[in-house]
Amino acid sequence: MELSERIRKIRMAYNLTQADVACRLDIAPSSYGQIERNAIKASCQTLLKVANAIGVSLTFLVDIESRNFVEDKNTG
């Protein structure tokens, strides 16, 4: 799975729209959409901001091998 696809699936699992996440990031929805479409390569800093906006850890967000889309905050 590509990172952009994982970001989209996690966002959807948390019942957030692209506009919701974009608002939390203080960017235009079209700019956020580029991240999910893999039209731009997001920096580590941007990925951290996306993770925070969705409410998951960066490690969980970038774990492209995982098939879980909702983070279990009770593990670890």
Side-chain angles (χ1 to χ4, degrees):
M1 171 182 313
E2 288 194 23
L3 179 57
S4 57
E5 179 184 2
R6 179 159 175 81
I7 292 170
R8 181 181 58 80
K9 287 184 177 186
I10 291 171
R11 173 186 56 78
M12 293 173 66
Y14 281 86
N15 295 314
L16 297 168
T17 65
Q18 285 187 349
D20 293 332
V21 178
C23 182
R24 292 177 184 186
L25 294 170
D26 195 29
I27 62 173
S30 60
S31 296
Y32 176 74
Q34 290 179 334
I35 295 170
E36 287 193 8
R37 288 191 313 277
N38 205 21
I40 60 169
K41 298 295 180 193
S43 68
C44 290
Q45 184 71 9
T46 298
L47 291 174
L48 178 58
K49 289 178 182 179
V50 169
N52 288 335
I54 295 173
V56 298
S57 68
L58 178 60
T59 304
F60 181 79
L61 185 74
V62 300
D63 185 3
I64 60 173
E65 299 299 317
S66 175
R67 295 291 176 208
N68 295 325
F69 300 112
V70 175
E71 186 172 27
D72 182 0
K73 304 280 185 172
N74 295 320
T75 62

